[in-house]
Amino acid sequence: MSDLHAHSARYVRDSMLPPEAPPALESGALKWLRENLFSGVFNSVLTVLGLLAVVYLLQLALPWFLHGVWNANSLGECRSIIAATWGEGAHGACWAMIRERWNQFLFGFYPSSEYWRPILALLLLFYALAPVLFDEMSKKLMVAIGVVAALVLWLAADNGQWMPVAILVIVAGVTALMGSRGSHWPHNLMWFSLVFPALAFWLLWGGSIWLPIVALLGFVVAGLVLRFATPAIGLMPALAVGVVAAFLWWYFAAAPLTDALTGMTGRSQPFWLHVVNSDEFGGFVLAFTIGLSGIAISLPMGIVLALGRQSDMLLVKALCVGFIEFIRGVPLITLLFTASLLLNYFLPPGTNFDIILRVIIMVTLFSAAYIAEVIRGGLAALPRGQYEAADALGLDYWKAQRLIIMPQALKISIPGIVSSFIGLFKDTTLVVFVALLDPLKGITDAVRASIEWKGIYWEPYIFVGAIFFIICFSMSRYSMFLENKLKREHR
């Protein structure tokens, strides 16, 4: 120590301290337990009480699961096997009912020879969702697309049907053609996302292939009117004229043209599939049909309603506010009864409007009102500077919404939107009140009505609940993935 530093220092230790014990372990399981379960007296008590509750529940439920029987022909046979194996008075699950009736829980009373059609529609749904849910190709997405293609080929070979292979070849060919023109994966599958609703309708209900094709032509008519009328009369009037033209096409031209084309091609594949009536739908086929249709249609409707509620046009704002407040003030069951009983009174005499399509309309309107409010919250969270920035760039209203405002509002609204979608999918079980066989009560009651399984209680609800949990949990995990991916301002 220099003389200068010795004079400036107030205190210098001149003796060594005794050695201290090493600090406690700050990594591994002990650290995790101390920080997450036993970080204080109160948390330690809660942890112990939680463990006791888990042990108590396991003591009650675990023997029932472990004593389960998978091979039996009736509930009485299940009970006999459990008593013979585990002694008199033992309880156990009778999973044999699930093993024997799983097809009814999944397909309802859909003809067993046509099971390949809803399965093919579900597999093709992954292709339709790929360009919507993912914006770039990755190894995981490539593997998923390959697995789906292999399952489609297996489905075709197992059922002796060539149509799944033909659809797969057409999808691959058109997608490759789009790729050769500069569109990259998975965006070159966007055309299939637009066509898929009509294809799924045809696969599920069957009948003539010309019905969905002629229905799609209505959108083509609207697009052509919008394209050629916009330069002359402006965007909004052209959009209104396009919508009117599409309705006129569907009302006056669709049915005669479909009948004429059906008469030319006859009732043979690929122009005709066996017709499946709506009362044969049931189980998760029905839940997926209603839920996915409602989710796909309610999101754009919700965006339009949210923008209309913020519009400066008094009439547009009043209509949007009135619709949203009315729908949110009415129970969903009331709308389902309206779909079942009253909607036909507003249609022309003789119109046979399918009950499932009516339910899809009401469920979609119900979900769109809630999604509109969620998106309005996202719009309100944006700072005023974002709108001013769009104005400074010289963008018109629709370009500003599409390029600047709506991407940020949707990113903020992702948790609320996914919650609405999960609620919509679970609400599909309410269709039992309009005599449709939902997977939870409709099919369960139908199975329990048979003499072999009369008296069974927990097993069907656990099975259906597990499938609902897997689907809803997957939606929740995807929303978290999307939130983390779009969290660019924190990187």
Side-chain angles (χ1 to χ4, degrees), residues 64-241:
W64 187 77
F65 280 98
L66 295 178
H67 297 169
V69 175
W70 286 91
N71 291 307
N73 296 316
S74 66
L75 179 60
E77 189 175 342
C78 278
R79 290 171 175 169
S80 301
I81 294 174
I82 293 172
T85 307
W86 303 101
E88 291 295 332
H91 299 283
C94 186
W95 303 115
M97 186 274 293
I98 302 297
R99 180 173 174 271
E100 185 176 309
R101 298 296 183 93
W102 63 270
N103 54 341
Q104 287 188 340
F105 283 97
L106 297 184
F107 299 100
F109 293 96
Y110 210 89
S112 58
S113 60
E114 309 293 329
Y115 280 173
W116 64 274
R117 285 160 49 180
I119 296 175
L120 178 61
L122 180 62
L123 291 174
L124 295 176
L125 174 66
F126 291 99
Y127 285 147
L129 290 178
V132 179
L133 300 182
F134 303 95
D135 58 353
E136 59 185 14
M137 181 55 71
S138 64
K139 291 183 179 178
K140 293 181 180 178
L141 187 57
M142 284 286 291
V143 171
I145 290 175
V147 170
V148 172
L151 289 175
V152 171
L153 295 177
W154 168 81
L155 182 70
D158 188 60
N159 291 274
Q161 295 286 338
W162 57 268
M163 187 176 293
V165 180
I167 294 175
L168 197 63
V169 170
I170 293 174
V171 172
V174 177
T175 304
L177 179 63
M178 301 284 288
S180 65
R181 295 189 173 185
S183 180
H184 300 289
W185 281 84
H187 299 291
N188 50 2
L189 271 172
M190 185 59 76
W191 70 273
F192 185 70
S193 302
L194 301 176
V195 173
F196 177 75
L199 178 61
F201 173 84
W202 181 56
L203 287 175
L204 290 174
W205 274 274
S208 172
I209 193 175
W210 299 114
L211 176 61
I213 291 177
V214 172
L216 279 179
L217 288 178
F219 294 100
V220 176
V221 169
L224 292 175
V225 171
L226 182 66
R227 179 175 181 180
F228 291 107
T230 300
I233 60 178
L235 177 61
M236 294 305 295
L239 184 62
V241 174

Side-chain angles (χ1 to χ4, degrees), residues 373-391:
E373 286 300 281
V374 173
I375 295 175
R376 187 172 69 89
L379 291 171
L382 290 182
R384 185 64 189 168
Q386 297 298 318
Y387 295 89
E388 295 172 352
D391 293 338

Side-chain angles (χ1 to χ4, degrees), residues 25 52 68 81 104 113 173 214 224 251 276 282 294 312 373 401 414:
L25 186 63
L52 290 176
I81 294 174
Q104 287 188 340
S113 60
V214 172
L224 292 175
Y251 195 81
V276 179
D312 296 329
E373 286 300 281
Q401 294 293 337
I414 286 175

Side-chain angles (χ1 to χ4, degrees), residues 438-450:
D438 76 304
L440 186 62
K441 183 171 174 56
I443 294 296
T444 299
D445 286 351
V447 171
R448 292 169 63 189
S450 63

